[in-house]
Amino acid sequence: MLLGPALAVSAILFSIGVAGVLLRRNAIIIFMCVELMLNAVNLTFIALAQQLGPEGQVFVFFVMAVAAAEAAVGLAIIIAIYRHRQTLDLQYINLLRG
Amino acid sequence: MGHLDLSTASGMTLALLPEVMLSAWAFALTLYAGVRHRDAVDQRRAGLIALAGLVATLIVVIWMWAADVRSVGLPFMMALDAFRWATSVVFLLGAILTVLLSFSYVDRERLWAPEYYVLLLLATVGMMFMGSGLDLIVIFLGLELMSVAVYVLAGINRRSPFAAEAALKYFLLGAFASGFFLYGIALIYGATGTTNLTLIDYQLRSLGLGTNLMLLIGAAMLLVGFGFKIAAVPFHMWAPDVYDGAPTPVTAFMAAAVKAAGFAALVRVLLHALSGALPAWQNIVWWLAVLTILVGNLIAIAQRQMKRMLAYSSIAHAGYLLAAVASGNALGAGAFLFYALAYTLMTIGAFAVVAMAGHNGERDLLIDDLTGLARRRPWLAIGTAIFMLSLLGFPGTAGFMGKWFILQSILQAREHALAVVLVAGSVLSAGYYLPVVMVMFMKPPVSETAHEQVAARGAGRLVVAVTAICVLLFGVWPNPALDLARSGGHDLASSPQAPVSSTSGAER
């Protein structure tokens, strides 16, 4: 059912996520774009799993768990950097250069 | 023992014994750290407990390797082969050296958080899963377990804005890479109907998917994900900044073990699952290797800080390892294993020197700051010289033998141009390794008090001594280690084919 459209939507979502990571400069927004990429992958797995068996659905649960763990660690790191710099704009987070 | 029946609980537990053991140890250490985390003594005890766990796991791994544990029938989630044991030994060795290096460093920089050692253990478990996973799910989970732990380790020094920035950059790019990695897995699953490496190989050959667009895009996405993890050019931008800002023992761990783990999973996926599509990926890996060797070496020459120089040098070494992968044969996998061992020893040794010679995160340690070290700390200078010459690939060191075996595998695959690039890269690298040796031995110290704070004591001295001796030992007497590495590479490339009666979705 609707395999082609579902794959197309997830490919578009993934591309939006990648574009967001590459173009935006705020750490939180970049992180949200990464989450968008992961959810695009989840959609791909679910769409494929209708025809290929439950393995894909199982994978989605692993991806969700890992994304949650990443969010916990990532937001902690973002808070740590905010305490040091009072900004989350990557343009100004450039102590390590050259 | 010999053969394990993986359908029984006891067989499965035995097959997973090293990983189970180390995870349990990490949880026990968490409990300990939760109760006792007040002062330097508790920190030191936590380190000793971690060390004991790593050594015990190493012994178990070596025992299982020596007993040649195999499975009845085909293993389906975790491999039981020499490649797994060889990579596990490399990761555990890297972790043990890192813990030894951390004792005095943690004291000096006052990083009193016993979680440090817990995270090191968990990252090592993740690496072992990456080296042994026979299913993309296992490899992905291992990768994430390792990455999440190392994100935290990079920023463990909460007082340092540099460490926080390093952690942020590493986290954002690492998560970005995971996205590509996952999308690659999803597309390969779509093309072959399975995530099991053996079944992917079987489907690829039996259905002739070598030119299937979905599979090739999936493989390319996987390569992008791996490219970020191993810091291959053009996915290397994060590496110098992160290596620069992270605490030095963590940098050593990232440069050596984390990189080796990325490569171990890459080698297994490419040679085991995707060997049917060899013409498609060989070209891409070839170009990645050439770019990584040239760019890494050229930028390293311009560096004045020790830590950044070693960061670019580690990028260049990723290029040499990629060259071994590009050969696409069992010899290449064996050469990768040997080089990974040699590289782990010499890189951790070099970072150990940086950790001793510097202070406050070592960001400001310039190459020129080592001027005249040989007069004041002759043994430390000799050790440093051995690491630099080995990284350069000077005959008589492990680095030379490693490069020699990589060249052999490349020439067997008839990639003469790649061999030329590898040699040219090594020649270029003399431009930044030799100045370090030169300033240490050929110039007098700049002042009477120079190098007085350089302290080689306790476990740190042990790390430098052991790695230097091993680097020389493997340089003049490489045969035993090489035979083991070759058996590991051979196991991987001649992995058994899937049974014809495999039940997988794509046939339905």
Side-chain angles (χ1 to χ4, degrees):
Chain A
M1 261 206 319
L2 292 178
L3 180 61
L7 288 184
V9 167
S10 59
I12 291 169
L13 276 179
F14 189 83
S15 312
I16 294 174
V18 172
V21 172
L22 295 177
L23 298 177
R24 300 304 292 262
R25 281 288 145 257
N26 184 301
I28 295 262
I29 293 185
I30 291 180
F31 181 54
M32 283 161 65
C33 291
V34 168
E35 294 289 311
L36 191 62
M37 286 165 68
L38 295 185
N39 283 323
V41 172
N42 280 348
L43 185 59
T44 311
F45 271 120
I46 292 292
L48 291 169
Q50 318 175 69
Q51 296 189 4
L52 299 177
E55 216 176 350
Q57 295 177 14
V58 174
F59 215 122
V60 170
F61 282 101
F62 283 115
V63 175
M64 277 159 55
V66 164
E70 265 189 357
V73 166
L75 292 175
I77 290 174
I78 288 174
I79 290 174
I81 197 116
Y82 187 80
R83 286 203 178 134
H84 279 293
R85 311 297 307 277
Q86 271 75 47
T87 176
L88 289 178
D89 194 326
L90 292 190
Q91 255 177 337
Y92 304 110
I93 302 180
N94 54 4
L95 291 174
L96 301 164
R97 266 296 135 76
Chain B
M1 33 209 277
H3 284 76
L4 293 177
D5 186 358
L6 295 185
S7 58
T8 63
S10 62
M12 199 68 202
T13 313
L14 267 178
L16 283 171
L17 188 61
E19 283 83 3
V20 169
M21 219 176 106
L22 199 55
S23 319
W25 210 290
F27 293 134
L29 184 57
T30 316
L31 285 180
Y32 176 83
V35 181
R36 298 201 165 251
H37 52 88
R38 297 274 172 240
D39 54 22
V41 179
D42 295 334
Q43 178 81 13
R44 179 162 284 270
R45 279 206 196 113
L48 286 174
I49 295 173
L51 192 63
L54 289 166
V55 170
T57 313
L58 184 64
I59 290 170
V60 169
V61 168
I62 291 173
W63 168 62
M64 291 179 80
W65 193 357
D68 198 23
V69 178
R70 302 276 163 170
S71 63
V72 180
L74 283 178
F76 46 90
M77 279 286 171
M78 298 281 285
L80 283 158
D81 57 15
F83 188 80
R84 170 180 173 187
W85 308 128
T87 52
S88 293
V89 167
V90 171
F91 306 148
L92 288 166
L93 214 58
I96 289 171
L97 291 172
T98 308
V99 170
L100 285 174
L101 183 56
S102 302
F103 281 122
S104 55
Y105 186 87
V106 164
D107 264 1
R108 195 187 69 204
E109 303 285 325
R110 307 171 73 82
L111 294 177
W112 289 332
E115 297 88 342
Y116 179 86
Y117 295 110
V118 177
L119 290 166
L120 263 178
L121 291 192
L122 287 175
T124 312
V125 175
M127 290 171 191
M128 290 165 73
F129 275 113
M130 285 175 76
S132 52
L134 265 191
D135 195 296
L136 290 170
I137 294 185
V138 178
I139 293 180
F140 168 69
L141 290 177
L143 178 82
E144 287 302 318
L145 179 56
M146 174 189 84
S147 302
V148 170
V150 179
Y151 299 150
V152 183
L153 279 176
I156 194 104
N157 187 356
R158 286 168 54 204
R159 285 182 305 276
S160 160
F162 300 106
E165 187 178 324
L168 180 73
K169 285 188 175 165
Y170 192 37
F171 166 70
L172 287 179
L173 280 169
F176 187 50
S178 299
F180 278 100
F181 189 79
L182 267 179
Y183 203 45
I185 294 176
L187 292 179
I188 288 178
Y189 167 68
T192 60
T194 173
T195 53
N196 184 296
L197 297 188
T198 314
L199 291 178
I200 289 173
D201 182 44
Y202 169 73
Q203 294 281 15
L204 219 162
R205 289 173 192 281
S206 61
L207 301 179
L209 293 173
T211 53
N212 179 301
L213 190 63
M214 199 174 192
L215 184 99
L216 290 184
I217 294 177
M221 293 274 183
L222 270 188
L223 270 181
V224 172
F226 276 124
F228 273 107
K229 288 290 165 196
I230 62 179
V233 177
F235 312 111
H236 69 291
M237 315 77 72
W238 60 271
D241 290 357
V242 174
Y243 287 8
D244 192 3
T248 305
V250 176
T251 309
F253 190 61
M254 285 198 283
V258 171
K259 187 166 287 195
F263 266 104
L266 176 69
V267 168
R268 196 183 276 282
V269 169
L270 287 183
L271 293 188
H272 188 134
L274 299 176
S275 60
L278 183 100
W281 58 258
Q282 197 170 25
N283 252 326
I284 303 174
V285 176
W286 194 93
W287 276 108
L288 281 179
V290 168
L291 276 177
T292 311
I293 291 174
L294 291 180
V295 173
N297 278 317
L298 283 174
I299 303 184
I301 293 179
Q303 301 303 315
R304 285 289 153 267
Q305 290 173 27
M306 274 299 277
K307 239 175 146 180
R308 281 189 92 83
M309 184 273 272
L310 285 173
Y312 280 106
S313 123
S314 93
I315 293 176
H317 283 270
Y320 305 144
L321 287 167
L322 272 173
V325 179
S327 71
N329 50 34
L331 211 53
F336 152 72
L337 286 173
F338 186 85
Y339 202 80
L341 175 67
Y343 172 71
T344 300
L345 291 172
M346 54 204 187
T347 302
I348 294 189
F351 277 111
V353 173
V354 174
M356 284 177 201
H359 46 89
N360 290 331
E362 292 79 48
R363 288 205 59 253
D364 44 4
L365 182 73
L366 303 180
I367 293 176
D368 291 336
D369 288 345
L370 295 177
T371 304
L373 187 68
R375 304 270 172 91
R376 298 284 154 76
R377 300 275 185 273
W379 288 107
L380 191 61
I382 290 172
T384 317
I386 291 172
F387 302 136
M388 291 301 140
L389 292 176
S390 178
L391 285 165
L392 170 61
F394 201 75
T397 59
F400 172 75
M401 295 318 288
K403 272 193 191 133
W404 179 257
F405 298 130
I406 290 179
L407 273 177
Q408 259 187 353
S409 73
I410 297 174
L411 292 177
Q412 198 200 34
R414 306 206 162 280
E415 299 283 357
H416 299 291
L418 190 56
V420 172
V421 171
L422 199 154
V423 174
S426 303
V427 173
L428 278 177
S429 71
Y432 54 94
Y433 291 133
L434 288 186
V436 178
V437 180
M438 217 168 67
V439 296
M440 282 190 313
F441 283 90
M442 298 186 183
K443 287 183 184 172
V446 282
S447 68
E448 282 298 306
T449 55
H451 309 307
E452 267 186 353
Q453 91 292 353
V454 176
R457 39 190 156 82
R461 186 160 52 183
L462 185 70
V463 172
V464 174
V466 167
T467 48
I469 290 169
C470 288
V471 162
L472 288 179
L473 188 69
F474 289 134
V476 293
W477 189 51
N479 292 4
L482 183 69
D483 287 343
L484 291 174
R486 286 227 167 110
S487 74
H490 183 75
D491 257 22
L492 187 69
S494 64
S495 44
Q497 296 292 309
V500 182
S501 63
S502 69
T503 53
S504 76
E507 288 162 307
R508 262 179 259 153

